[in-house]
Amino acid sequence: MLLQTTAQKVAFSLLAVALLVTTGKDWFDFYSCGAVSQCLSDAGTLQLYTKSIMTTMLTVLAFVTASGAFSSRDGKLLRAAFVFSLLADYSFSLLKATVADAGTISTVLGITFFMVFQTILIYRHSRTSEADKSLPKIYWLLAVAVIAGVALIATGTLGLTVAVVVVYGIFVITSLVMGILVPRKGYFPAANAKLICWGMVAFFFGDVCVGLSMVTGDDHSALQSVAEIANNFIWWLYVPAQLMLIRGCVKPQA
């Protein structure tokens, strides 16, 4: 079970409250503003803080739950991954809320930290046994993607933000595939493996919503409406995804 200790229950309760507040404010703002980017941006300061609360509580849950992991090694990997998840979400939320004109910086930093998060998950989800300490061969693809991204930025072929988004897309698709293959690896207990698999699927579609939310169109246009609606669903995919990844480390009950 995920909610066995008082710390887990408190963290989950705060997470749930913050999710409800975020959702309510997101849809209230959308109802009040319509698909008007600047209006929604100005109205969404509260959500930047509630999102920080959510990611903090998810990290607390990861650290507390990892103490009862079926493998101490997997618990350490989970904790390491969630440190970078926390840094990524703080970059997207707290940095944007506290630093003026931090849009590009927060986006690039956040995506970069999520690349590290996905790199750790790829390693975690590629394990075949407790003794398996080999680096996944798929890391070569990720290295090529990073080098290509740097080259595209250096030559001016792509802007910094676009290049980082494209490279991250390769990381998250790779991580999705590795997550789907977890049940075949045999390292994780069967129930845990299914949770990790579905967790990565939910995480991927959450990132799809993030991508859609970055699309811009004319105010009140259908394209802008799609972007804002996608933004309002991100955390309803992201939170369950993270919870499933956390639950995937728990030692099965006898």
mmCIF file of all heavy atoms in Angstrom, residues 95-138:
data_model
loop_
_atom_site.group_PDB
_atom_site.id
_atom_site.type_symbol
_atom_site.label_atom_id
_atom_site.label_comp_id
_atom_site.label_asym_id
_atom_site.label_seq_id
_atom_site.Cartn_x
_atom_site.Cartn_y
_atom_site.Cartn_z
ATOM 1 N N LEU A 95 10.344 29.480 -10.095
ATOM 2 C CA LEU A 95 11.214 30.409 -10.814
ATOM 3 C C LEU A 95 10.383 31.399 -11.618
ATOM 4 O O LEU A 95 10.643 32.606 -11.633
ATOM 5 C CB LEU A 95 12.168 29.636 -11.731
ATOM 6 C CG LEU A 95 13.238 30.457 -12.448
ATOM 7 C CD1 LEU A 95 14.170 31.116 -11.439
ATOM 8 C CD2 LEU A 95 14.053 29.567 -13.397
ATOM 9 N N LYS A 96 9.356 30.883 -12.267
ATOM 10 C CA LYS A 96 8.489 31.745 -13.073
ATOM 11 C C LYS A 96 7.701 32.713 -12.185
ATOM 12 O O LYS A 96 7.406 33.847 -12.581
ATOM 13 C CB LYS A 96 7.537 30.895 -13.899
ATOM 14 C CG LYS A 96 6.768 31.667 -14.957
ATOM 15 C CD LYS A 96 5.903 30.753 -15.783
ATOM 16 C CE LYS A 96 6.730 29.828 -16.646
ATOM 17 N NZ LYS A 96 5.877 28.989 -17.538
ATOM 18 N N ALA A 97 7.364 32.257 -10.968
ATOM 19 C CA ALA A 97 6.560 33.091 -10.069
ATOM 20 C C ALA A 97 7.382 34.174 -9.390
ATOM 21 O O ALA A 97 6.853 35.223 -9.029
ATOM 22 C CB ALA A 97 5.897 32.217 -9.010
ATOM 23 N N THR A 98 8.678 33.941 -9.219
ATOM 24 C CA THR A 98 9.495 34.859 -8.414
ATOM 25 C C THR A 98 10.500 35.682 -9.215
ATOM 26 O O THR A 98 11.019 36.673 -8.705
ATOM 27 C CB THR A 98 10.260 34.070 -7.333
ATOM 28 O OG1 THR A 98 11.063 33.054 -7.965
ATOM 29 C CG2 THR A 98 9.300 33.405 -6.360
ATOM 30 N N VAL A 99 10.795 35.263 -10.444
ATOM 31 C CA VAL A 99 11.783 35.987 -11.255
ATOM 32 C C VAL A 99 11.087 36.605 -12.468
ATOM 33 O O VAL A 99 10.427 35.884 -13.232
ATOM 34 C CB VAL A 99 12.918 35.044 -11.721
ATOM 35 C CG1 VAL A 99 13.905 35.805 -12.598
ATOM 36 C CG2 VAL A 99 13.625 34.424 -10.523
ATOM 37 N N ALA A 100 11.250 37.898 -12.626
ATOM 38 C CA ALA A 100 10.611 38.585 -13.741
ATOM 39 C C ALA A 100 11.199 38.125 -15.078
ATOM 40 O O ALA A 100 12.412 37.930 -15.197
ATOM 41 C CB ALA A 100 10.798 40.100 -13.589
ATOM 42 N N ASP A 101 10.339 37.944 -16.061
ATOM 43 C CA ASP A 101 10.757 37.566 -17.424
ATOM 44 C C ASP A 101 11.613 36.296 -17.435
ATOM 45 O O ASP A 101 12.601 36.208 -18.156
ATOM 46 C CB ASP A 101 11.530 38.713 -18.086
ATOM 47 C CG ASP A 101 10.699 39.978 -18.194
ATOM 48 O OD1 ASP A 101 9.493 39.868 -18.490
ATOM 49 O OD2 ASP A 101 11.253 41.069 -17.977
ATOM 50 N N ALA A 102 11.203 35.311 -16.620
ATOM 51 C CA ALA A 102 11.981 34.068 -16.530
ATOM 52 C C ALA A 102 11.419 32.980 -17.438
ATOM 53 O O ALA A 102 11.759 31.814 -17.278
ATOM 54 C CB ALA A 102 12.008 33.574 -15.082
ATOM 55 N N GLY A 103 10.573 33.357 -18.389
ATOM 56 C CA GLY A 103 9.890 32.364 -19.211
ATOM 57 C C GLY A 103 10.811 31.386 -19.904
ATOM 58 O O GLY A 103 10.702 30.175 -19.720
ATOM 59 N N THR A 104 11.753 31.890 -20.700
ATOM 60 C CA THR A 104 12.656 31.006 -21.442
ATOM 61 C C THR A 104 13.577 30.249 -20.508
ATOM 62 O O THR A 104 13.785 29.039 -20.658
ATOM 63 C CB THR A 104 13.492 31.818 -22.449
ATOM 64 O OG1 THR A 104 12.615 32.463 -23.379
ATOM 65 C CG2 THR A 104 14.453 30.907 -23.207
ATOM 66 N N ILE A 105 14.126 30.953 -19.523
ATOM 67 C CA ILE A 105 15.041 30.310 -18.570
ATOM 68 C C ILE A 105 14.340 29.192 -17.821
ATOM 69 O O ILE A 105 14.871 28.081 -17.673
ATOM 70 C CB ILE A 105 15.591 31.347 -17.561
ATOM 71 C CG1 ILE A 105 16.440 32.396 -18.285
ATOM 72 C CG2 ILE A 105 16.408 30.657 -16.469
ATOM 73 C CD1 ILE A 105 16.902 33.529 -17.399
ATOM 74 N N SER A 106 13.128 29.454 -17.339
ATOM 75 C CA SER A 106 12.403 28.440 -16.570
ATOM 76 C C SER A 106 12.064 27.238 -17.440
ATOM 77 O O SER A 106 12.156 26.092 -16.991
ATOM 78 C CB SER A 106 11.126 29.034 -15.970
ATOM 79 O OG SER A 106 10.179 29.347 -16.965
ATOM 80 N N THR A 107 11.694 27.486 -18.694
ATOM 81 C CA THR A 107 11.351 26.385 -19.604
ATOM 82 C C THR A 107 12.560 25.516 -19.907
ATOM 83 O O THR A 107 12.491 24.284 -19.810
ATOM 84 C CB THR A 107 10.762 26.940 -20.912
ATOM 85 O OG1 THR A 107 9.563 27.665 -20.626
ATOM 86 C CG2 THR A 107 10.437 25.807 -21.877
ATOM 87 N N VAL A 108 13.671 26.140 -20.268
ATOM 88 C CA VAL A 108 14.880 25.389 -20.619
ATOM 89 C C VAL A 108 15.424 24.628 -19.415
ATOM 90 O O VAL A 108 15.783 23.446 -19.517
ATOM 91 C CB VAL A 108 15.956 26.324 -21.206
ATOM 92 C CG1 VAL A 108 17.293 25.589 -21.365
ATOM 93 C CG2 VAL A 108 15.499 26.889 -22.550
ATOM 94 N N LEU A 109 15.475 25.288 -18.253
ATOM 95 C CA LEU A 109 15.956 24.622 -17.041
ATOM 96 C C LEU A 109 15.049 23.454 -16.665
ATOM 97 O O LEU A 109 15.519 22.358 -16.342
ATOM 98 C CB LEU A 109 16.017 25.614 -15.876
ATOM 99 C CG LEU A 109 17.328 26.341 -15.616
ATOM 100 C CD1 LEU A 109 17.180 27.254 -14.407
ATOM 101 C CD2 LEU A 109 18.473 25.373 -15.421
ATOM 102 N N GLY A 110 13.735 23.704 -16.697
ATOM 103 C CA GLY A 110 12.783 22.663 -16.337
ATOM 104 C C GLY A 110 12.897 21.447 -17.229
ATOM 105 O O GLY A 110 12.946 20.308 -16.745
ATOM 106 N N ILE A 111 12.974 21.657 -18.526
ATOM 107 C CA ILE A 111 13.079 20.537 -19.463
ATOM 108 C C ILE A 111 14.401 19.807 -19.286
ATOM 109 O O ILE A 111 14.457 18.573 -19.345
ATOM 110 C CB ILE A 111 12.916 21.028 -20.916
ATOM 111 C CG1 ILE A 111 11.495 21.558 -21.143
ATOM 112 C CG2 ILE A 111 13.195 19.896 -21.902
ATOM 113 C CD1 ILE A 111 11.284 22.193 -22.505
ATOM 114 N N THR A 112 15.481 20.556 -19.033
ATOM 115 C CA THR A 112 16.791 19.935 -18.831
ATOM 116 C C THR A 112 16.783 19.029 -17.608
ATOM 117 O O THR A 112 17.300 17.900 -17.642
ATOM 118 C CB THR A 112 17.879 21.006 -18.686
ATOM 119 O OG1 THR A 112 17.911 21.817 -19.871
ATOM 120 C CG2 THR A 112 19.250 20.360 -18.493
ATOM 121 N N PHE A 113 16.194 19.512 -16.510
ATOM 122 C CA PHE A 113 16.099 18.679 -15.306
ATOM 123 C C PHE A 113 15.231 17.442 -15.568
ATOM 124 O O PHE A 113 15.529 16.352 -15.066
ATOM 125 C CB PHE A 113 15.529 19.485 -14.138
ATOM 126 C CG PHE A 113 16.520 20.410 -13.498
ATOM 127 C CD1 PHE A 113 16.201 21.744 -13.270
ATOM 128 C CD2 PHE A 113 17.770 19.950 -13.109
ATOM 129 C CE1 PHE A 113 17.106 22.609 -12.678
ATOM 130 C CE2 PHE A 113 18.693 20.803 -12.503
ATOM 131 C CZ PHE A 113 18.359 22.137 -12.290
ATOM 132 N N PHE A 114 14.180 17.604 -16.367
ATOM 133 C CA PHE A 114 13.346 16.449 -16.698
ATOM 134 C C PHE A 114 14.090 15.448 -17.586
ATOM 135 O O PHE A 114 13.796 14.255 -17.557
ATOM 136 C CB PHE A 114 12.034 16.887 -17.362
ATOM 137 C CG PHE A 114 10.889 17.022 -16.410
ATOM 138 C CD1 PHE A 114 10.123 18.175 -16.378
ATOM 139 C CD2 PHE A 114 10.569 15.993 -15.526
ATOM 140 C CE1 PHE A 114 9.057 18.305 -15.492
ATOM 141 C CE2 PHE A 114 9.520 16.107 -14.630
ATOM 142 C CZ PHE A 114 8.762 17.271 -14.607
ATOM 143 N N MET A 115 15.039 15.912 -18.379
ATOM 144 C CA MET A 115 15.866 14.980 -19.144
ATOM 145 C C MET A 115 16.672 14.082 -18.203
ATOM 146 O O MET A 115 16.790 12.876 -18.436
ATOM 147 C CB MET A 115 16.826 15.755 -20.058
ATOM 148 C CG MET A 115 16.194 16.356 -21.291
ATOM 149 S SD MET A 115 17.478 17.085 -22.340
ATOM 150 C CE MET A 115 16.470 18.106 -23.416
ATOM 151 N N VAL A 116 17.216 14.689 -17.152
ATOM 152 C CA VAL A 116 17.965 13.890 -16.164
ATOM 153 C C VAL A 116 17.014 12.926 -15.463
ATOM 154 O O VAL A 116 17.350 11.752 -15.235
ATOM 155 C CB VAL A 116 18.663 14.804 -15.143
ATOM 156 C CG1 VAL A 116 19.461 13.960 -14.140
ATOM 157 C CG2 VAL A 116 19.591 15.788 -15.846
ATOM 158 N N PHE A 117 15.840 13.408 -15.115
ATOM 159 C CA PHE A 117 14.806 12.562 -14.503
ATOM 160 C C PHE A 117 14.512 11.358 -15.391
ATOM 161 O O PHE A 117 14.504 10.206 -14.924
ATOM 162 C CB PHE A 117 13.547 13.404 -14.300
ATOM 163 C CG PHE A 117 12.311 12.644 -13.907
ATOM 164 C CD1 PHE A 117 12.155 12.162 -12.620
ATOM 165 C CD2 PHE A 117 11.285 12.426 -14.824
ATOM 166 C CE1 PHE A 117 11.004 11.473 -12.244
ATOM 167 C CE2 PHE A 117 10.136 11.740 -14.457
ATOM 168 C CZ PHE A 117 9.996 11.268 -13.168
ATOM 169 N N GLN A 118 14.299 11.592 -16.678
ATOM 170 C CA GLN A 118 13.999 10.497 -17.603
ATOM 171 C C GLN A 118 15.207 9.566 -17.770
ATOM 172 O O GLN A 118 15.037 8.343 -17.915
ATOM 173 C CB GLN A 118 13.579 11.048 -18.968
ATOM 174 C CG GLN A 118 12.294 11.855 -18.960
ATOM 175 C CD GLN A 118 11.062 11.018 -18.653
ATOM 176 O OE1 GLN A 118 11.137 9.813 -18.469
ATOM 177 N NE2 GLN A 118 9.911 11.671 -18.599
ATOM 178 N N THR A 119 16.410 10.118 -17.740
ATOM 179 C CA THR A 119 17.619 9.293 -17.860
ATOM 180 C C THR A 119 17.718 8.301 -16.705
ATOM 181 O O THR A 119 18.050 7.123 -16.901
ATOM 182 C CB THR A 119 18.878 10.188 -17.891
ATOM 183 O OG1 THR A 119 18.796 11.076 -18.999
ATOM 184 C CG2 THR A 119 20.143 9.349 -18.018
ATOM 185 N N ILE A 120 17.404 8.781 -15.500
ATOM 186 C CA ILE A 120 17.429 7.890 -14.328
ATOM 187 C C ILE A 120 16.335 6.835 -14.439
ATOM 188 O O ILE A 120 16.556 5.651 -14.134
ATOM 189 C CB ILE A 120 17.275 8.699 -13.028
ATOM 190 C CG1 ILE A 120 18.468 9.643 -12.850
ATOM 191 C CG2 ILE A 120 17.161 7.761 -11.816
ATOM 192 C CD1 ILE A 120 18.312 10.622 -11.705
ATOM 193 N N LEU A 121 15.142 7.239 -14.889
ATOM 194 C CA LEU A 121 14.059 6.271 -15.047
ATOM 195 C C LEU A 121 14.391 5.221 -16.099
ATOM 196 O O LEU A 121 14.067 4.040 -15.924
ATOM 197 C CB LEU A 121 12.753 6.987 -15.432
ATOM 198 C CG LEU A 121 12.076 7.840 -14.358
ATOM 199 C CD1 LEU A 121 10.732 8.351 -14.879
ATOM 200 C CD2 LEU A 121 11.871 7.049 -13.067
ATOM 201 N N ILE A 122 15.028 5.638 -17.179
ATOM 202 C CA ILE A 122 15.424 4.673 -18.219
ATOM 203 C C ILE A 122 16.363 3.636 -17.626
ATOM 204 O O ILE A 122 16.237 2.434 -17.896
ATOM 205 C CB ILE A 122 16.063 5.409 -19.411
ATOM 206 C CG1 ILE A 122 14.990 6.200 -20.175
ATOM 207 C CG2 ILE A 122 16.760 4.418 -20.357
ATOM 208 C CD1 ILE A 122 15.542 7.177 -21.174
ATOM 209 N N TYR A 123 17.317 4.082 -16.826
ATOM 210 C CA TYR A 123 18.235 3.146 -16.159
ATOM 211 C C TYR A 123 17.451 2.230 -15.211
ATOM 212 O O TYR A 123 17.622 1.007 -15.218
ATOM 213 C CB TYR A 123 19.303 3.909 -15.376
ATOM 214 C CG TYR A 123 20.283 3.010 -14.655
ATOM 215 C CD1 TYR A 123 21.383 2.482 -15.319
ATOM 216 C CD2 TYR A 123 20.096 2.677 -13.317
ATOM 217 C CE1 TYR A 123 22.278 1.642 -14.668
ATOM 218 C CE2 TYR A 123 20.978 1.846 -12.657
ATOM 219 C CZ TYR A 123 22.064 1.335 -13.338
ATOM 220 O OH TYR A 123 22.944 0.500 -12.691
ATOM 221 N N ARG A 124 16.578 2.849 -14.403
ATOM 222 C CA ARG A 124 15.787 2.078 -13.438
ATOM 223 C C ARG A 124 14.944 1.019 -14.137
ATOM 224 O O ARG A 124 14.893 -0.128 -13.711
ATOM 225 C CB ARG A 124 14.883 3.029 -12.653
ATOM 226 C CG ARG A 124 13.992 2.341 -11.625
ATOM 227 C CD ARG A 124 12.843 3.235 -11.187
ATOM 228 N NE ARG A 124 12.069 2.616 -10.115
ATOM 229 C CZ ARG A 124 10.811 2.913 -9.835
ATOM 230 N NH1 ARG A 124 10.165 3.819 -10.556
ATOM 231 N NH2 ARG A 124 10.171 2.295 -8.858
ATOM 232 N N HIS A 125 14.301 1.392 -15.225
ATOM 233 C CA HIS A 125 13.334 0.508 -15.884
ATOM 234 C C HIS A 125 13.985 -0.477 -16.853
ATOM 235 O O HIS A 125 13.292 -1.323 -17.410
ATOM 236 C CB HIS A 125 12.279 1.346 -16.605
ATOM 237 C CG HIS A 125 11.510 2.228 -15.681
ATOM 238 N ND1 HIS A 125 10.834 3.356 -16.105
ATOM 239 C CD2 HIS A 125 11.313 2.145 -14.331
ATOM 240 C CE1 HIS A 125 10.256 3.926 -15.057
ATOM 241 N NE2 HIS A 125 10.529 3.216 -13.980
ATOM 242 N N SER A 126 15.292 -0.371 -17.025
ATOM 243 C CA SER A 126 15.994 -1.324 -17.894
ATOM 244 C C SER A 126 16.609 -2.473 -17.108
ATOM 245 O O SER A 126 17.173 -3.402 -17.698
ATOM 246 C CB SER A 126 17.098 -0.609 -18.688
ATOM 247 O OG SER A 126 18.129 -0.174 -17.822
ATOM 248 N N ARG A 127 16.482 -2.450 -15.780
ATOM 249 C CA ARG A 127 17.099 -3.503 -14.956
ATOM 250 C C ARG A 127 16.458 -4.863 -15.242
ATOM 251 O O ARG A 127 15.235 -4.973 -15.404
ATOM 252 C CB ARG A 127 16.951 -3.211 -13.460
ATOM 253 C CG ARG A 127 17.561 -1.909 -12.929
ATOM 254 C CD ARG A 127 19.027 -1.755 -13.242
ATOM 255 N NE ARG A 127 19.229 -1.173 -14.560
ATOM 256 C CZ ARG A 127 20.344 -1.287 -15.271
ATOM 257 N NH1 ARG A 127 21.353 -1.986 -14.823
ATOM 258 N NH2 ARG A 127 20.440 -0.716 -16.453
ATOM 259 N N THR A 128 17.283 -5.874 -15.289
ATOM 260 C CA THR A 128 16.794 -7.241 -15.467
ATOM 261 C C THR A 128 16.989 -8.094 -14.218
ATOM 262 O O THR A 128 16.382 -9.153 -14.090
ATOM 263 C CB THR A 128 17.506 -7.930 -16.644
ATOM 264 O OG1 THR A 128 18.921 -7.922 -16.414
ATOM 265 C CG2 THR A 128 17.208 -7.208 -17.960
ATOM 266 N N SER A 129 17.845 -7.636 -13.308
ATOM 267 C CA SER A 129 18.093 -8.357 -12.054
ATOM 268 C C SER A 129 18.756 -7.406 -11.076
ATOM 269 O O SER A 129 19.201 -6.310 -11.447
ATOM 270 C CB SER A 129 18.990 -9.576 -12.293
ATOM 271 O OG SER A 129 20.311 -9.161 -12.625
ATOM 272 N N GLU A 130 18.836 -7.829 -9.828
ATOM 273 C CA GLU A 130 19.483 -7.013 -8.802
ATOM 274 C C GLU A 130 20.967 -6.825 -9.103
ATOM 275 O O GLU A 130 21.571 -5.808 -8.739
ATOM 276 C CB GLU A 130 19.305 -7.673 -7.426
ATOM 277 C CG GLU A 130 19.690 -6.794 -6.253
ATOM 278 C CD GLU A 130 18.791 -5.576 -6.083
ATOM 279 O OE1 GLU A 130 17.675 -5.569 -6.616
ATOM 280 O OE2 GLU A 130 19.226 -4.624 -5.413
ATOM 281 N N ALA A 131 21.560 -7.788 -9.781
ATOM 282 C CA ALA A 131 22.988 -7.718 -10.102
ATOM 283 C C ALA A 131 23.268 -6.941 -11.385
ATOM 284 O O ALA A 131 24.427 -6.667 -11.710
ATOM 285 C CB ALA A 131 23.551 -9.133 -10.234
ATOM 286 N N ASP A 132 22.228 -6.572 -12.108
ATOM 287 C CA ASP A 132 22.404 -5.885 -13.384
ATOM 288 C C ASP A 132 22.784 -4.423 -13.147
ATOM 289 O O ASP A 132 21.951 -3.608 -12.742
ATOM 290 C CB ASP A 132 21.108 -5.969 -14.194
ATOM 291 C CG ASP A 132 21.223 -5.284 -15.549
ATOM 292 O OD1 ASP A 132 22.352 -4.911 -15.924
ATOM 293 O OD2 ASP A 132 20.192 -5.127 -16.220
ATOM 294 N N LYS A 133 24.044 -4.099 -13.398
ATOM 295 C CA LYS A 133 24.522 -2.730 -13.226
ATOM 296 C C LYS A 133 25.010 -2.129 -14.541
ATOM 297 O O LYS A 133 25.704 -1.113 -14.564
ATOM 298 C CB LYS A 133 25.644 -2.698 -12.180
ATOM 299 C CG LYS A 133 25.178 -3.126 -10.785
ATOM 300 C CD LYS A 133 26.295 -3.034 -9.773
ATOM 301 C CE LYS A 133 25.800 -3.467 -8.383
ATOM 302 N NZ LYS A 133 26.881 -3.390 -7.365
ATOM 303 N N SER A 134 24.635 -2.753 -15.637
ATOM 304 C CA SER A 134 25.085 -2.294 -16.945
ATOM 305 C C SER A 134 24.340 -1.031 -17.372
ATOM 306 O O SER A 134 23.179 -0.820 -17.005
ATOM 307 C CB SER A 134 24.851 -3.385 -17.991
ATOM 308 O OG SER A 134 23.465 -3.686 -18.091
ATOM 309 N N LEU A 135 25.010 -0.198 -18.143
ATOM 310 C CA LEU A 135 24.359 0.985 -18.695
ATOM 311 C C LEU A 135 23.509 0.574 -19.891
ATOM 312 O O LEU A 135 23.956 -0.212 -20.730
ATOM 313 C CB LEU A 135 25.403 2.018 -19.132
ATOM 314 C CG LEU A 135 26.156 2.743 -18.019
ATOM 315 C CD1 LEU A 135 27.201 3.673 -18.631
ATOM 316 C CD2 LEU A 135 25.210 3.527 -17.124
ATOM 317 N N PRO A 136 22.301 1.074 -19.993
ATOM 318 C CA PRO A 136 21.448 0.725 -21.130
ATOM 319 C C PRO A 136 22.089 1.173 -22.445
ATOM 320 O O PRO A 136 22.602 2.286 -22.551
ATOM 321 C CB PRO A 136 20.158 1.514 -20.855
ATOM 322 C CG PRO A 136 20.205 1.857 -19.404
ATOM 323 C CD PRO A 136 21.636 1.994 -19.051
ATOM 324 N N LYS A 137 22.058 0.312 -23.434
ATOM 325 C CA LYS A 137 22.631 0.656 -24.741
ATOM 326 C C LYS A 137 21.897 1.827 -25.382
ATOM 327 O O LYS A 137 22.466 2.550 -26.206
ATOM 328 C CB LYS A 137 22.594 -0.569 -25.656
ATOM 329 C CG LYS A 137 23.512 -1.696 -25.204
ATOM 330 C CD LYS A 137 23.450 -2.888 -26.155
ATOM 331 C CE LYS A 137 24.368 -4.000 -25.695
ATOM 332 N NZ LYS A 137 24.303 -5.190 -26.595
ATOM 333 N N ILE A 138 20.643 2.015 -24.977
ATOM 334 C CA ILE A 138 19.848 3.102 -25.545
ATOM 335 C C ILE A 138 20.425 4.459 -25.163
ATOM 336 O O ILE A 138 20.093 5.485 -25.790
ATOM 337 C CB ILE A 138 18.366 2.984 -25.067
ATOM 338 C CG1 ILE A 138 17.430 3.779 -25.995
ATOM 339 C CG2 ILE A 138 18.225 3.444 -23.626
ATOM 340 C CD1 ILE A 138 17.267 3.201 -27.336
#
